[in-house]
Amino acid sequence: MTMICSGCESELASHLVCESCGALQVCEESPTPFASMGLEPSQAMDSGALKKRLVKLSRAMHPDFFGNSDAATQQLAIDNTAELNAAFEILASDMARADWLVRSLGGPDENSERQMPQSFLIEVMEWNELLEEARDSGSGSPEYESAQKLGVTLQAERAAIMQGIDAALTPLPEAGSPTLTDVRKQMNAVRYVDRALEQLAELAVQANH
Amino acid sequence: MAYSDKVLDHYNKPRNVGSLDKASANVGTGIVGAPECGDVMKLQIEIEGDRIVDAKFKTFGCGSAIASSSLATEWVKGKTLDEALSINNTEIVEELSLPPVKIHCSVLAEDAIKAAIADVKNKRDSEKG
C-alpha cells in the first residue's frame, strides 16, 4: 500500500512523517509497526539498521522540534512519536515481531496451540528443578554452576527454535497457512525457554547481592 | 492482588508434594504447562483397582498454581477414576477464591488430573493388551 505525503505528495516510507519535506502525517488508523518504521513486513530484521531508522525518524518527528508549531501539530508530533516508539518495541523483539506477523496473517493467537509434547514439559520440569537447587545452594555451589551451564544450553535452544521460526516466516507464508500454526507452537516453546532464562537472570542478581 | 487464606494455606503447607514411581503400572503421571507464565505442573496418582489411593505433585509456578495442584491431590485421593475425572476447574476456583487472572492455574490442575488418569488408563489397557 503506497501512501503519499499530504504536503509534498512524494511517496512515503514511514506513514508517520514525510522524509522529503518533513511534514508530519495525520493517520486515521494506527499504521502497522512496519509501516510506521517504513519497512516491508518481514521476520528478518537487521537490528542495527532498525535502530538507525528509529533515530532518523525520531529526529524528524520529535515533539521538541515542533515547539513553535500550532497546538494540533504539536499534538501530532507527540502522537506519531508514540506510534513510532510502539512500533520499535514490536520490531526490535524477535518474538513480538513473529507474534505480530502470525496474527496479521490470520494465524492462531498466543492462547492457541498451548499443548506441548510431554518430552518438552519434562525438560521444563528439569530446568526448574535445577533452578530450585541452584537457588537453595547459592553461588559457588556445584548446583549453581550447573544452572549457569543450563543458561548456555537454553540460549542455544532458544536460538535454534528462533531460527526455525525465522525460516518458516521467510518468505512470509500466505494468510491462513498451516505454517502459522507450527510457528505458534514453536513460539509457545520459546516462552517457556524465556521464562527459565528470566529466572536464571534473577538468580544471578540475587547471587551478586 | 492478595491471595485468599486458602491459597496461602496450601502455598505455605503444600499437601502431597513429591513423586511416585513413574514406571509403576499403577501410577499415572500428568505433566502440563502454561506457556504464558512458564508454569509447569506434574501430578501423579496411584491406583488400586479403580480407586486413587495416593497422589503427589510437583509444581513450579505462582502461589495459585501450587495451591491448585495441592488441592487437586487432596481431592482425588480416595476417589474412583471416574469421580476424579469429573473434577472441574471451577470447583477449584471456588474453593480457593481464585481471581480471574489466576483461573488458568485451576485449568492447569484440572488438565493435570485428566492427563494423569489418561496415563494410568493407558498403561492398564496396554497391559491387558
Side-chain angles (χ1 to χ4, degrees), chain A residues 110-111 113-116 118 121-122 124-126 128-129 132 188-189 191-192 195 199, chain B residues 22 29-42 58-60 104 108 115:
Chain A
E110 81 272 22
N111 294 318
E113 305 307 322
R114 301 162 49 88
Q115 205 59 51
M116 292 287 148
Q118 283 289 296
L121 290 173
I122 290 171
V124 177
M125 208 81 204
E126 286 164 359
N128 278 289
E129 274 160 12
E132 190 177 63
N188 277 334
R191 289 161 92 188
Y192 282 99
R195 180 73 192 114
Q199 286 177 295
Chain B
K22 200 177 182 327
T29 303
I31 304 180
V32 294
E36 56 268 56
C37 47
D39 284 7
V40 55
M41 183 182 286
K42 180 175 79 175
K58 179 117 205 189
T59 293
F60 294 101
H104 69 274
L108 218 51

Side-chain angles (χ1 to χ4, degrees), chain A residues 119-141:
Chain A
S119 56
F120 179 78
L121 290 173
I122 290 171
E123 227 184 292
V124 177
M125 208 81 204
E126 286 164 359
W127 305 340
N128 278 289
E129 274 160 12
L130 226 160
L131 269 160
E132 190 177 63
E133 286 166 12
R135 223 174 271 133
D136 292 346
S137 312
S139 61
S141 64

Side-chain angles (χ1 to χ4, degrees), chain B residues 4-19 42-44 54-59 63 65-77 95-96:
Chain B
S4 71
D5 289 345
K6 278 185 180 156
V7 170
L8 289 175
D9 184 47
H10 276 280
Y11 180 74
N12 292 323
K13 288 177 291 181
R15 328 305 197 245
N16 311 310
V17 172
S19 288
K42 180 175 79 175
L43 193 144
Q44 293 182 298
D54 200 5
K56 296 277 183 209
F57 84 95
K58 179 117 205 189
T59 293
I66 290 168
S68 295
S69 37
S70 171
L71 180 68
T73 55
E74 274 199 321
W75 277 0
V76 297
K77 269 205 225 178
E95 175 68 17
L96 296 174

Side-chain angles (χ1 to χ4, degrees), chain A residues 42-64:
Chain A
S42 151
Q43 173 63 11
M45 185 66 64
D46 175 338
S47 64
L50 178 67
K51 272 191 197 124
K52 276 189 191 147
R53 278 301 284 157
L54 175 72
V55 171
K56 182 161 187 256
L57 291 169
S58 289
R59 280 203 191 121
M61 63 180 95
H62 198 284
D64 286 1

Side-chain angles (χ1 to χ4, degrees), chain B residues 104-117:
Chain B
H104 69 274
C105 301
S106 67
V107 175
L108 218 51
E110 183 192 323
D111 289 349
I113 296 172
K114 295 205 156 73
I117 292 172

